[in-house]
Amino acid sequence: MTTLQKSLAISILCLMLAGQPGTLTAQEAPQETSQEIITLLKEQNRNLSQNLRRIQREIAALRADLDKPTIKDVFAGIGYIVGLFGFAAFAASRTRSR
Amino acid sequence: MHISDGVLPLSVSIGSYAASALLVSWSTRHIRSENLPRMAVVTSAFFIASLVHVPFGPTSVHLLMPGLAGALLGPAAFISIGLGLLLQSLLFQFGGLTALGANTLIMGLPAMACGYFFQRFKGRTQLRQSIVGGAAGALGTMLAAIILAILLVTGGEDFFGVAKIAVAAHVPVIIIEGLISAFTIGFIARVKPALLQPSFYKKTKSIHD
């Protein structure tokens, strides 16, 4: 390697180093990307909260459905009533036959 | 037309419990053993009636049928309604257990009044029985709304305001109740008139004899 080549390489290096202040102008690029990221995050947040609201609505609807009496409750109640009156009839027949 | 837990002050709920217990025990004295199946059927119907939603305009209303129960059972309707409401509050979470006494009064007193009204004015023809039955059904719902207002007043509300709201909210129920009672009584009068005979002629011949 000749001294000419060496000095050329060093001068290129120096030029590159001198070009460092150029990165100051490039500082605006990360700002732009952070803005984009913020907008992306905001959008994502909005989507998520929308989904969350939907799920909350569904939970509320499910809870309302749970409060509704089911067919089981209906037949349980009728069974209770018929059973109680059957017992009353039984007791009445016993007291009468005595 | 149900009062929920914690709406009424404690003294009123205890008082209404005592009043309903008294009326239930009075009501049991009017049961005759041959009427037990009829009572079972009417109690079951009353228990289910609140699940039958009748579409009315944009909303739907559900039947209450104190009038019908009263017309069919007379004084025995009170115990039948008490049992129906107890099971409704246990199984359907309608109303609360602490308000059960008040709810029984709300439905039971109109039922007995309607029973008296129906037996007094029913006449002999099917048409008249059907019309009087319908009137009894409407009257029962209206009386229930008024008793509801009276009980709510004890919680510190203004009577006429509450009564107006309660009756206004139940106008569709009153109309539908009257129509359905008229139809049901007319049907029973045609198919099985014996069901409309008062079940409480001889007080002495109760099941406790």
Side-chain angles (χ1 to χ4, degrees):
Chain A
M1 201 181 267
T2 55
T3 32
L4 188 72
Q5 278 174 322
K6 261 187 196 167
S7 60
L8 198 69
I10 287 169
S11 64
I12 287 171
L13 195 68
C14 284
L15 266 177
M16 280 172 72
L17 282 176
Q20 274 295 10
T23 54
L24 263 180
T25 55
Q27 282 269 320
E28 281 172 22
Q31 254 181 10
E32 267 172 32
T33 52
S34 70
Q35 283 291 339
E36 280 170 17
I37 287 170
I38 285 171
T39 52
L40 272 175
L41 278 176
K42 273 183 181 167
E43 197 175 335
Q44 204 177 9
N45 221 350
R46 206 169 46 235
N47 277 338
L48 278 178
S49 60
Q50 237 169 27
N51 281 341
L52 207 62
R53 265 205 300 277
R54 197 166 52 83
I55 287 171
Q56 276 167 346
R57 268 203 300 274
E58 269 174 26
I59 288 176
L62 272 178
R63 192 169 289 163
D65 277 349
L66 272 184
D67 279 346
K68 270 187 210 159
T70 60
I71 195 84
K72 258 187 214 164
D73 298 328
V74 171
F75 282 107
I78 295 176
Y80 261 109
I81 291 166
V82 172
L84 284 172
F85 279 104
F87 181 75
F90 172 66
S93 78
R94 272 178 73 91
T95 49
R96 180 175 295 173
S97 64
R98 209 178 275 168
Chain B
M1 187 101 63
H2 292 277
I3 292 184
S4 302
D5 276 333
V7 175
L8 294 174
L10 187 66
S11 54
V12 178
S13 13
I14 292 175
S16 52
Y17 252 110
S20 350
L22 210 71
L23 281 166
V24 162
S25 64
W26 177 77
S27 172
T28 44
R29 299 179 64 83
H30 291 268
I31 302 174
R32 288 160 65 201
S33 54
E34 57 265 39
N35 287 325
L36 283 171
R38 187 201 294 195
M39 284 185 68
V41 169
V42 175
T43 310
S44 304
F46 173 77
F47 171 72
I48 297 301
S50 59
L51 296 180
V52 181
H53 286 260
V54 181
F56 183 86
T59 62
S60 74
V61 297
H62 72 76
L63 295 176
L64 299 165
M65 59 178 274
L68 200 56
L72 291 177
L73 295 180
F78 198 87
I79 191 168
S80 161
I81 278 172
L83 181 60
L85 284 175
L86 172 70
L87 287 171
Q88 276 184 353
S89 72
L90 287 180
L91 293 169
F92 299 168
Q93 283 85 42
F94 286 173
L97 271 185
T98 58
L100 181 66
N103 284 329
T104 312
L105 284 185
I106 289 174
M107 296 299 231
L109 289 179
M112 291 197 294
C114 290
Y116 178 75
F117 173 80
F118 180 74
Q119 296 301 341
R120 178 83 179 71
F121 294 107
K122 72 176 176 184
R124 296 203 172 276
T125 59
Q126 281 180 19
L127 182 68
R128 178 160 174 186
Q129 283 180 348
S130 163
I131 290 170
V132 173
L139 183 76
T141 311
M142 205 149 71
L143 280 178
I146 290 168
I147 296 176
L148 172 81
I150 291 174
L151 281 175
L152 283 179
V153 167
T154 61
E157 312 268 348
D158 150 56
F159 174 73
F160 283 103
V162 179
K164 251 186 257 170
I165 293 171
V167 174
H170 285 91
V171 164
V173 192
I174 290 169
I175 294 167
I176 287 174
E177 189 85 26
L179 289 177
I180 288 185
S181 300
F183 175 77
T184 313
I185 300 264
F187 181 75
I188 292 173
R190 200 169 68 241
V191 177
K192 192 151 173 53
L195 265 186
L196 296 176
Q197 292 307 310
S199 56
F200 43 91
Y201 259 146
K202 298 166 194 161
K203 279 183 191 170
T204 48
K205 213 184 165 194
S206 70
I207 59 168
H208 299 291
D209 289 350

mmCIF file of all heavy atoms in Angstrom, chain A residues 52-98:
data_model
loop_
_atom_site.group_PDB
_atom_site.id
_atom_site.type_symbol
_atom_site.label_atom_id
_atom_site.label_comp_id
_atom_site.label_asym_id
_atom_site.label_seq_id
_atom_site.Cartn_x
_atom_site.Cartn_y
_atom_site.Cartn_z
ATOM 1 N N LEU A 52 -63.050 -4.058 22.852
ATOM 2 C CA LEU A 52 -63.345 -4.231 24.277
ATOM 3 C C LEU A 52 -64.777 -3.846 24.571
ATOM 4 O O LEU A 52 -65.495 -4.540 25.303
ATOM 5 C CB LEU A 52 -62.383 -3.368 25.090
ATOM 6 C CG LEU A 52 -62.092 -3.852 26.497
ATOM 7 C CD1 LEU A 52 -61.436 -5.203 26.426
ATOM 8 C CD2 LEU A 52 -61.201 -2.868 27.200
ATOM 9 N N ARG A 53 -65.210 -2.725 23.962
ATOM 10 C CA ARG A 53 -66.601 -2.305 24.182
ATOM 11 C C ARG A 53 -67.569 -3.357 23.674
ATOM 12 O O ARG A 53 -68.572 -3.668 24.319
ATOM 13 C CB ARG A 53 -66.859 -0.979 23.469
ATOM 14 C CG ARG A 53 -66.698 0.235 24.362
ATOM 15 C CD ARG A 53 -67.510 1.386 23.854
ATOM 16 N NE ARG A 53 -67.104 1.773 22.503
ATOM 17 C CZ ARG A 53 -66.071 2.574 22.239
ATOM 18 N NH1 ARG A 53 -65.352 3.054 23.233
ATOM 19 N NH2 ARG A 53 -65.760 2.896 21.008
ATOM 20 N N ARG A 54 -67.250 -3.919 22.503
ATOM 21 C CA ARG A 54 -68.121 -4.953 21.934
ATOM 22 C C ARG A 54 -68.217 -6.133 22.902
ATOM 23 O O ARG A 54 -69.293 -6.649 23.188
ATOM 24 C CB ARG A 54 -67.537 -5.430 20.603
ATOM 25 C CG ARG A 54 -68.516 -6.184 19.735
ATOM 26 C CD ARG A 54 -67.961 -6.296 18.325
ATOM 27 N NE ARG A 54 -66.601 -6.845 18.331
ATOM 28 C CZ ARG A 54 -66.324 -8.149 18.381
ATOM 29 N NH1 ARG A 54 -67.309 -9.018 18.456
ATOM 30 N NH2 ARG A 54 -65.078 -8.586 18.381
ATOM 31 N N ILE A 55 -67.055 -6.522 23.443
ATOM 32 C CA ILE A 55 -67.042 -7.678 24.354
ATOM 33 C C ILE A 55 -67.809 -7.358 25.623
ATOM 34 O O ILE A 55 -68.562 -8.191 26.138
ATOM 35 C CB ILE A 55 -65.595 -8.085 24.657
ATOM 36 C CG1 ILE A 55 -65.003 -8.750 23.415
ATOM 37 C CG2 ILE A 55 -65.522 -9.037 25.825
ATOM 38 C CD1 ILE A 55 -63.543 -9.003 23.511
ATOM 39 N N GLN A 56 -67.648 -6.109 26.105
ATOM 40 C CA GLN A 56 -68.409 -5.732 27.313
ATOM 41 C C GLN A 56 -69.897 -5.794 27.048
ATOM 42 O O GLN A 56 -70.670 -6.264 27.883
ATOM 43 C CB GLN A 56 -68.017 -4.328 27.751
ATOM 44 C CG GLN A 56 -66.772 -4.325 28.611
ATOM 45 C CD GLN A 56 -66.211 -2.942 28.787
ATOM 46 O OE1 GLN A 56 -66.593 -2.014 28.068
ATOM 47 N NE2 GLN A 56 -65.294 -2.795 29.718
ATOM 48 N N ARG A 57 -70.300 -5.315 25.842
ATOM 49 C CA ARG A 57 -71.724 -5.395 25.500
ATOM 50 C C ARG A 57 -72.190 -6.838 25.485
ATOM 51 O O ARG A 57 -73.266 -7.171 25.979
ATOM 52 C CB ARG A 57 -71.966 -4.755 24.131
ATOM 53 C CG ARG A 57 -72.319 -3.290 24.202
ATOM 54 C CD ARG A 57 -73.076 -2.867 22.966
ATOM 55 N NE ARG A 57 -72.296 -3.067 21.754
ATOM 56 C CZ ARG A 57 -71.434 -2.193 21.259
ATOM 57 N NH1 ARG A 57 -71.232 -1.054 21.890
ATOM 58 N NH2 ARG A 57 -70.782 -2.420 20.152
ATOM 59 N N GLU A 58 -71.338 -7.699 24.899
ATOM 60 C CA GLU A 58 -71.742 -9.109 24.832
ATOM 61 C C GLU A 58 -71.872 -9.705 26.228
ATOM 62 O O GLU A 58 -72.786 -10.478 26.500
ATOM 63 C CB GLU A 58 -70.725 -9.912 24.016
ATOM 64 C CG GLU A 58 -71.105 -9.952 22.556
ATOM 65 C CD GLU A 58 -70.048 -10.602 21.707
ATOM 66 O OE1 GLU A 58 -69.292 -11.442 22.243
ATOM 67 O OE2 GLU A 58 -69.984 -10.271 20.518
ATOM 68 N N ILE A 59 -70.937 -9.325 27.128
ATOM 69 C CA ILE A 59 -71.012 -9.845 28.497
ATOM 70 C C ILE A 59 -72.298 -9.378 29.160
ATOM 71 O O ILE A 59 -72.991 -10.153 29.833
ATOM 72 C CB ILE A 59 -69.781 -9.401 29.314
ATOM 73 C CG1 ILE A 59 -68.551 -10.172 28.832
ATOM 74 C CG2 ILE A 59 -69.999 -9.652 30.793
ATOM 75 C CD1 ILE A 59 -67.287 -9.755 29.496
ATOM 76 N N ALA A 60 -72.646 -8.094 28.930
ATOM 77 C CA ALA A 60 -73.875 -7.569 29.536
ATOM 78 C C ALA A 60 -75.088 -8.333 28.999
ATOM 79 O O ALA A 60 -75.999 -8.699 29.750
ATOM 80 C CB ALA A 60 -74.014 -6.083 29.242
ATOM 81 N N ALA A 61 -75.073 -8.603 27.683
ATOM 82 C CA ALA A 61 -76.206 -9.334 27.093
ATOM 83 C C ALA A 61 -76.281 -10.738 27.670
ATOM 84 O O ALA A 61 -77.365 -11.238 27.992
ATOM 85 C CB ALA A 61 -76.056 -9.400 25.576
ATOM 86 N N LEU A 62 -75.108 -11.360 27.828
ATOM 87 C CA LEU A 62 -75.080 -12.719 28.400
ATOM 88 C C LEU A 62 -75.618 -12.705 29.819
ATOM 89 O O LEU A 62 -76.367 -13.597 30.221
ATOM 90 C CB LEU A 62 -73.650 -13.253 28.419
ATOM 91 C CG LEU A 62 -73.196 -13.974 27.166
ATOM 92 C CD1 LEU A 62 -71.752 -14.398 27.318
ATOM 93 C CD2 LEU A 62 -74.068 -15.191 26.949
ATOM 94 N N ARG A 63 -75.213 -11.661 30.570
ATOM 95 C CA ARG A 63 -75.668 -11.588 31.958
ATOM 96 C C ARG A 63 -77.186 -11.418 31.990
ATOM 97 O O ARG A 63 -77.881 -12.032 32.787
ATOM 98 C CB ARG A 63 -74.977 -10.425 32.661
ATOM 99 C CG ARG A 63 -75.172 -10.451 34.143
ATOM 100 C CD ARG A 63 -74.262 -9.462 34.813
ATOM 101 N NE ARG A 63 -72.874 -9.882 34.778
ATOM 102 C CZ ARG A 63 -71.851 -9.073 35.004
ATOM 103 N NH1 ARG A 63 -72.069 -7.818 35.286
ATOM 104 N NH2 ARG A 63 -70.621 -9.520 34.967
ATOM 105 N N ALA A 64 -77.708 -10.584 31.080
ATOM 106 C CA ALA A 64 -79.164 -10.401 31.016
ATOM 107 C C ALA A 64 -79.835 -11.733 30.668
ATOM 108 O O ALA A 64 -80.888 -12.063 31.197
ATOM 109 C CB ALA A 64 -79.509 -9.345 29.971
ATOM 110 N N ASP A 65 -79.188 -12.492 29.767
ATOM 111 C CA ASP A 65 -79.760 -13.795 29.424
ATOM 112 C C ASP A 65 -79.739 -14.737 30.613
ATOM 113 O O ASP A 65 -80.651 -15.521 30.810
ATOM 114 C CB ASP A 65 -78.960 -14.434 28.277
ATOM 115 C CG ASP A 65 -79.424 -13.913 26.937
ATOM 116 O OD1 ASP A 65 -80.480 -13.254 26.922
ATOM 117 O OD2 ASP A 65 -78.747 -14.164 25.931
ATOM 118 N N LEU A 66 -78.674 -14.630 31.418
ATOM 119 C CA LEU A 66 -78.572 -15.513 32.591
ATOM 120 C C LEU A 66 -79.678 -15.208 33.586
ATOM 121 O O LEU A 66 -80.160 -16.100 34.270
ATOM 122 C CB LEU A 66 -77.219 -15.320 33.274
ATOM 123 C CG LEU A 66 -76.076 -16.178 32.768
ATOM 124 C CD1 LEU A 66 -74.848 -15.927 33.611
ATOM 125 C CD2 LEU A 66 -76.456 -17.636 32.832
ATOM 126 N N ASP A 67 -80.057 -13.910 33.655
ATOM 127 C CA ASP A 67 -81.107 -13.540 34.601
ATOM 128 C C ASP A 67 -82.463 -14.061 34.174
ATOM 129 O O ASP A 67 -83.351 -14.226 34.990
ATOM 130 C CB ASP A 67 -81.172 -12.010 34.741
ATOM 131 C CG ASP A 67 -80.113 -11.508 35.690
ATOM 132 O OD1 ASP A 67 -79.549 -12.359 36.402
ATOM 133 O OD2 ASP A 67 -79.846 -10.306 35.716
ATOM 134 N N LYS A 68 -82.621 -14.282 32.875
ATOM 135 C CA LYS A 68 -83.917 -14.774 32.401
ATOM 136 C C LYS A 68 -84.145 -16.189 32.906
ATOM 137 O O LYS A 68 -83.228 -17.004 32.925
ATOM 138 C CB LYS A 68 -83.919 -14.791 30.869
ATOM 139 C CG LYS A 68 -84.394 -13.503 30.261
ATOM 140 C CD LYS A 68 -84.516 -13.673 28.765
ATOM 141 C CE LYS A 68 -84.278 -12.367 28.051
ATOM 142 N NZ LYS A 68 -83.910 -12.566 26.663
ATOM 143 N N PRO A 69 -85.380 -16.483 33.323
ATOM 144 C CA PRO A 69 -85.648 -17.851 33.767
ATOM 145 C C PRO A 69 -85.573 -18.816 32.599
ATOM 146 O O PRO A 69 -85.980 -18.507 31.483
ATOM 147 C CB PRO A 69 -87.069 -17.767 34.316
ATOM 148 C CG PRO A 69 -87.641 -16.532 33.731
ATOM 149 C CD PRO A 69 -86.523 -15.590 33.485
ATOM 150 N N THR A 70 -85.024 -19.964 32.866
ATOM 151 C CA THR A 70 -84.925 -20.978 31.825
ATOM 152 C C THR A 70 -86.103 -21.939 31.934
ATOM 153 O O THR A 70 -86.885 -21.880 32.872
ATOM 154 C CB THR A 70 -83.623 -21.768 31.967
ATOM 155 O OG1 THR A 70 -83.636 -22.381 33.256
ATOM 156 C CG2 THR A 70 -82.422 -20.878 31.859
ATOM 157 N N ILE A 71 -86.201 -22.812 30.966
ATOM 158 C CA ILE A 71 -87.292 -23.782 30.945
ATOM 159 C C ILE A 71 -87.194 -24.695 32.167
ATOM 160 O O ILE A 71 -88.202 -25.134 32.711
ATOM 161 C CB ILE A 71 -87.237 -24.571 29.619
ATOM 162 C CG1 ILE A 71 -88.539 -25.322 29.377
ATOM 163 C CG2 ILE A 71 -86.086 -25.530 29.567
ATOM 164 C CD1 ILE A 71 -89.575 -24.457 28.745
ATOM 165 N N LYS A 72 -85.951 -24.895 32.639
ATOM 166 C CA LYS A 72 -85.757 -25.709 33.848
ATOM 167 C C LYS A 72 -86.474 -25.093 35.037
ATOM 168 O O LYS A 72 -87.173 -25.775 35.789
ATOM 169 C CB LYS A 72 -84.263 -25.776 34.175
ATOM 170 C CG LYS A 72 -83.589 -27.058 33.777
ATOM 171 C CD LYS A 72 -82.166 -27.025 34.320
ATOM 172 C CE LYS A 72 -81.231 -27.734 33.389
ATOM 173 N NZ LYS A 72 -79.840 -27.407 33.681
ATOM 174 N N ASP A 73 -86.281 -23.767 35.215
ATOM 175 C CA ASP A 73 -86.926 -23.083 36.336
ATOM 176 C C ASP A 73 -88.439 -23.212 36.243
ATOM 177 O O ASP A 73 -89.119 -23.409 37.248
ATOM 178 C CB ASP A 73 -86.540 -21.601 36.331
ATOM 179 C CG ASP A 73 -85.065 -21.403 36.520
ATOM 180 O OD1 ASP A 73 -84.464 -22.233 37.222
ATOM 181 O OD2 ASP A 73 -84.515 -20.448 35.967
ATOM 182 N N VAL A 74 -88.941 -23.070 35.008
ATOM 183 C CA VAL A 74 -90.399 -23.124 34.817
ATOM 184 C C VAL A 74 -90.932 -24.467 35.282
ATOM 185 O O VAL A 74 -91.880 -24.548 36.081
ATOM 186 C CB VAL A 74 -90.722 -22.898 33.328
ATOM 187 C CG1 VAL A 74 -92.193 -23.161 33.078
ATOM 188 C CG2 VAL A 74 -90.367 -21.487 32.911
ATOM 189 N N PHE A 75 -90.286 -25.550 34.826
ATOM 190 C CA PHE A 75 -90.804 -26.871 35.198
ATOM 191 C C PHE A 75 -90.551 -27.160 36.667
ATOM 192 O O PHE A 75 -91.364 -27.825 37.314
ATOM 193 C CB PHE A 75 -90.209 -27.950 34.295
ATOM 194 C CG PHE A 75 -90.875 -27.990 32.959
ATOM 195 C CD1 PHE A 75 -90.235 -27.527 31.834
ATOM 196 C CD2 PHE A 75 -92.173 -28.437 32.840
ATOM 197 C CE1 PHE A 75 -90.859 -27.524 30.609
ATOM 198 C CE2 PHE A 75 -92.818 -28.449 31.627
ATOM 199 C CZ PHE A 75 -92.152 -27.985 30.504
ATOM 200 N N ALA A 76 -89.450 -26.643 37.196
ATOM 201 C CA ALA A 76 -89.202 -26.814 38.629
ATOM 202 C C ALA A 76 -90.322 -26.181 39.433
ATOM 203 O O ALA A 76 -90.853 -26.779 40.379
ATOM 204 C CB ALA A 76 -87.870 -26.183 39.007
ATOM 205 N N GLY A 77 -90.726 -24.973 39.030
ATOM 206 C CA GLY A 77 -91.791 -24.287 39.758
ATOM 207 C C GLY A 77 -93.110 -25.029 39.664
ATOM 208 O O GLY A 77 -93.804 -25.208 40.668
ATOM 209 N N ILE A 78 -93.448 -25.483 38.458
ATOM 210 C CA ILE A 78 -94.712 -26.212 38.306
ATOM 211 C C ILE A 78 -94.663 -27.489 39.138
ATOM 212 O O ILE A 78 -95.639 -27.862 39.796
ATOM 213 C CB ILE A 78 -94.976 -26.525 36.823
ATOM 214 C CG1 ILE A 78 -95.170 -25.225 36.054
ATOM 215 C CG2 ILE A 78 -96.224 -27.375 36.671
ATOM 216 C CD1 ILE A 78 -95.340 -25.419 34.587
ATOM 217 N N GLY A 79 -93.506 -28.132 39.132
ATOM 218 C CA GLY A 79 -93.378 -29.348 39.929
ATOM 219 C C GLY A 79 -93.576 -29.073 41.407
ATOM 220 O O GLY A 79 -94.275 -29.820 42.100
ATOM 221 N N TYR A 80 -92.980 -27.984 41.898
ATOM 222 C CA TYR A 80 -93.162 -27.599 43.305
ATOM 223 C C TYR A 80 -94.643 -27.399 43.617
ATOM 224 O O TYR A 80 -95.157 -27.888 44.627
ATOM 225 C CB TYR A 80 -92.428 -26.284 43.578
ATOM 226 C CG TYR A 80 -91.089 -26.450 44.225
ATOM 227 C CD1 TYR A 80 -89.922 -26.200 43.515
ATOM 228 C CD2 TYR A 80 -90.986 -26.843 45.548
ATOM 229 C CE1 TYR A 80 -88.695 -26.345 44.098
ATOM 230 C CE2 TYR A 80 -89.755 -26.978 46.144
ATOM 231 C CZ TYR A 80 -88.614 -26.728 45.414
ATOM 232 O OH TYR A 80 -87.402 -26.874 45.993
ATOM 233 N N ILE A 81 -95.317 -26.638 42.736
ATOM 234 C CA ILE A 81 -96.720 -26.303 43.006
ATOM 235 C C ILE A 81 -97.567 -27.569 43.040
ATOM 236 O O ILE A 81 -98.327 -27.804 43.996
ATOM 237 C CB ILE A 81 -97.235 -25.320 41.939
ATOM 238 C CG1 ILE A 81 -96.555 -23.967 42.121
ATOM 239 C CG2 ILE A 81 -98.737 -25.160 42.043
ATOM 240 C CD1 ILE A 81 -96.716 -23.052 40.956
ATOM 241 N N VAL A 82 -97.405 -28.397 42.010
ATOM 242 C CA VAL A 82 -98.213 -29.619 41.948
ATOM 243 C C VAL A 82 -97.885 -30.517 43.141
ATOM 244 O O VAL A 82 -98.784 -31.082 43.783
ATOM 245 C CB VAL A 82 -97.974 -30.335 40.603
ATOM 246 C CG1 VAL A 82 -98.640 -31.696 40.604
ATOM 247 C CG2 VAL A 82 -98.534 -29.506 39.469
ATOM 248 N N GLY A 83 -96.600 -30.599 43.481
ATOM 249 C CA GLY A 83 -96.211 -31.433 44.615
ATOM 250 C C GLY A 83 -96.798 -30.931 45.919
ATOM 251 O O GLY A 83 -97.314 -31.700 46.718
ATOM 252 N N LEU A 84 -96.723 -29.608 46.132
ATOM 253 C CA LEU A 84 -97.255 -29.052 47.387
ATOM 254 C C LEU A 84 -98.753 -29.284 47.489
ATOM 255 O O LEU A 84 -99.263 -29.680 48.542
ATOM 256 C CB LEU A 84 -96.940 -27.566 47.469
ATOM 257 C CG LEU A 84 -95.494 -27.235 47.823
ATOM 258 C CD1 LEU A 84 -95.251 -25.749 47.689
ATOM 259 C CD2 LEU A 84 -95.205 -27.677 49.245
ATOM 260 N N PHE A 85 -99.473 -29.059 46.383
ATOM 261 C CA PHE A 85 -100.916 -29.272 46.448
ATOM 262 C C PHE A 85 -101.244 -30.752 46.557
ATOM 263 O O PHE A 85 -102.229 -31.123 47.211
ATOM 264 C CB PHE A 85 -101.614 -28.615 45.258
ATOM 265 C CG PHE A 85 -101.806 -27.149 45.463
ATOM 266 C CD1 PHE A 85 -101.007 -26.221 44.828
ATOM 267 C CD2 PHE A 85 -102.778 -26.700 46.341
ATOM 268 C CE1 PHE A 85 -101.167 -24.880 45.047
ATOM 269 C CE2 PHE A 85 -102.948 -25.354 46.564
ATOM 270 C CZ PHE A 85 -102.133 -24.435 45.919
ATOM 271 N N GLY A 86 -100.412 -31.578 45.944
ATOM 272 C CA GLY A 86 -100.614 -33.021 46.122
ATOM 273 C C GLY A 86 -100.438 -33.409 47.575
ATOM 274 O O GLY A 86 -101.233 -34.182 48.131
ATOM 275 N N PHE A 87 -99.429 -32.829 48.212
ATOM 276 C CA PHE A 87 -99.217 -33.131 49.634
ATOM 277 C C PHE A 87 -100.400 -32.638 50.464
ATOM 278 O O PHE A 87 -100.852 -33.328 51.388
ATOM 279 C CB PHE A 87 -97.919 -32.473 50.116
ATOM 280 C CG PHE A 87 -97.630 -32.772 51.545
ATOM 281 C CD1 PHE A 87 -97.151 -34.022 51.911
ATOM 282 C CD2 PHE A 87 -97.863 -31.823 52.523
ATOM 283 C CE1 PHE A 87 -96.905 -34.303 53.236
ATOM 284 C CE2 PHE A 87 -97.616 -32.115 53.840
ATOM 285 C CZ PHE A 87 -97.145 -33.358 54.208
ATOM 286 N N ALA A 88 -100.913 -31.439 50.113
ATOM 287 C CA ALA A 88 -102.069 -30.909 50.845
ATOM 288 C C ALA A 88 -103.262 -31.837 50.684
ATOM 289 O O ALA A 88 -103.982 -32.120 51.654
ATOM 290 C CB ALA A 88 -102.403 -29.508 50.336
ATOM 291 N N ALA A 89 -103.467 -32.341 49.461
ATOM 292 C CA ALA A 89 -104.590 -33.248 49.217
ATOM 293 C C ALA A 89 -104.413 -34.529 50.023
ATOM 294 O O ALA A 89 -105.363 -35.051 50.623
ATOM 295 C CB ALA A 89 -104.687 -33.564 47.726
ATOM 296 N N PHE A 90 -103.162 -34.997 50.068
ATOM 297 C CA PHE A 90 -102.863 -36.214 50.834
ATOM 298 C C PHE A 90 -103.186 -36.001 52.313
ATOM 299 O O PHE A 90 -103.876 -36.809 52.956
ATOM 300 C CB PHE A 90 -101.391 -36.559 50.636
ATOM 301 C CG PHE A 90 -100.890 -37.658 51.508
ATOM 302 C CD1 PHE A 90 -101.361 -38.952 51.356
ATOM 303 C CD2 PHE A 90 -99.943 -37.391 52.486
ATOM 304 C CE1 PHE A 90 -100.893 -39.963 52.165
ATOM 305 C CE2 PHE A 90 -99.478 -38.398 53.294
ATOM 306 C CZ PHE A 90 -99.949 -39.690 53.135
ATOM 307 N N ALA A 91 -102.710 -34.857 52.847
ATOM 308 C CA ALA A 91 -102.960 -34.561 54.266
ATOM 309 C C ALA A 91 -104.453 -34.442 54.518
ATOM 310 O O ALA A 91 -104.978 -34.953 55.515
ATOM 311 C CB ALA A 91 -102.247 -33.269 54.646
ATOM 312 N N ALA A 92 -105.159 -33.776 53.586
ATOM 313 C CA ALA A 92 -106.602 -33.605 53.757
ATOM 314 C C ALA A 92 -107.295 -34.964 53.769
ATOM 315 O O ALA A 92 -108.186 -35.208 54.589
ATOM 316 C CB ALA A 92 -107.155 -32.741 52.634
ATOM 317 N N SER A 93 -106.888 -35.856 52.870
ATOM 318 C CA SER A 93 -107.544 -37.165 52.814
ATOM 319 C C SER A 93 -107.254 -37.948 54.092
ATOM 320 O O SER A 93 -108.103 -38.668 54.595
ATOM 321 C CB SER A 93 -107.060 -37.929 51.589
ATOM 322 O OG SER A 93 -105.791 -38.456 51.829
ATOM 323 N N ARG A 94 -106.063 -37.802 54.639
ATOM 324 C CA ARG A 94 -105.747 -38.521 55.888
ATOM 325 C C ARG A 94 -106.591 -38.009 57.048
ATOM 326 O O ARG A 94 -107.144 -38.786 57.814
ATOM 327 C CB ARG A 94 -104.268 -38.354 56.222
ATOM 328 C CG ARG A 94 -103.399 -39.395 55.581
ATOM 329 C CD ARG A 94 -101.962 -39.128 55.930
ATOM 330 N NE ARG A 94 -101.685 -39.473 57.325
ATOM 331 C CZ ARG A 94 -101.258 -40.680 57.704
ATOM 332 N NH1 ARG A 94 -101.070 -41.620 56.813
ATOM 333 N NH2 ARG A 94 -101.016 -40.930 58.967
ATOM 334 N N THR A 95 -106.702 -36.658 57.144
ATOM 335 C CA THR A 95 -107.475 -36.128 58.273
ATOM 336 C C THR A 95 -108.946 -36.493 58.136
ATOM 337 O O THR A 95 -109.633 -36.666 59.127
ATOM 338 C CB THR A 95 -107.341 -34.596 58.350
ATOM 339 O OG1 THR A 95 -107.598 -34.082 57.063
ATOM 340 C CG2 THR A 95 -105.991 -34.179 58.834
ATOM 341 N N ARG A 96 -109.414 -36.604 56.882
ATOM 342 C CA ARG A 96 -110.823 -36.919 56.719
ATOM 343 C C ARG A 96 -111.115 -38.385 57.081
ATOM 344 O O ARG A 96 -112.099 -38.693 57.725
ATOM 345 C CB ARG A 96 -111.243 -36.667 55.278
ATOM 346 C CG ARG A 96 -112.710 -36.977 55.067
ATOM 347 C CD ARG A 96 -113.146 -36.614 53.696
ATOM 348 N NE ARG A 96 -113.070 -35.170 53.482
ATOM 349 C CZ ARG A 96 -113.280 -34.621 52.298
ATOM 350 N NH1 ARG A 96 -113.526 -35.380 51.257
ATOM 351 N NH2 ARG A 96 -113.227 -33.324 52.159
ATOM 352 N N SER A 97 -110.218 -39.306 56.643
ATOM 353 C CA SER A 97 -110.484 -40.727 56.856
ATOM 354 C C SER A 97 -110.342 -41.090 58.328
ATOM 355 O O SER A 97 -110.847 -42.107 58.769
ATOM 356 C CB SER A 97 -109.526 -41.564 56.015
ATOM 357 O OG SER A 97 -108.207 -41.342 56.438
ATOM 358 N N ARG A 98 -109.662 -40.235 59.071
ATOM 359 C CA ARG A 98 -109.451 -40.579 60.478
ATOM 360 C C ARG A 98 -110.714 -40.412 61.307
ATOM 361 O O ARG A 98 -111.529 -39.556 61.038
ATOM 362 C CB ARG A 98 -108.336 -39.680 61.068
ATOM 363 C CG ARG A 98 -107.601 -40.388 62.192
ATOM 364 C CD ARG A 98 -106.495 -39.500 62.709
ATOM 365 N NE ARG A 98 -105.282 -39.673 61.886
ATOM 366 C CZ ARG A 98 -104.239 -38.861 61.970
ATOM 367 N NH1 ARG A 98 -104.265 -37.830 62.768
ATOM 368 N NH2 ARG A 98 -103.178 -39.061 61.232
#
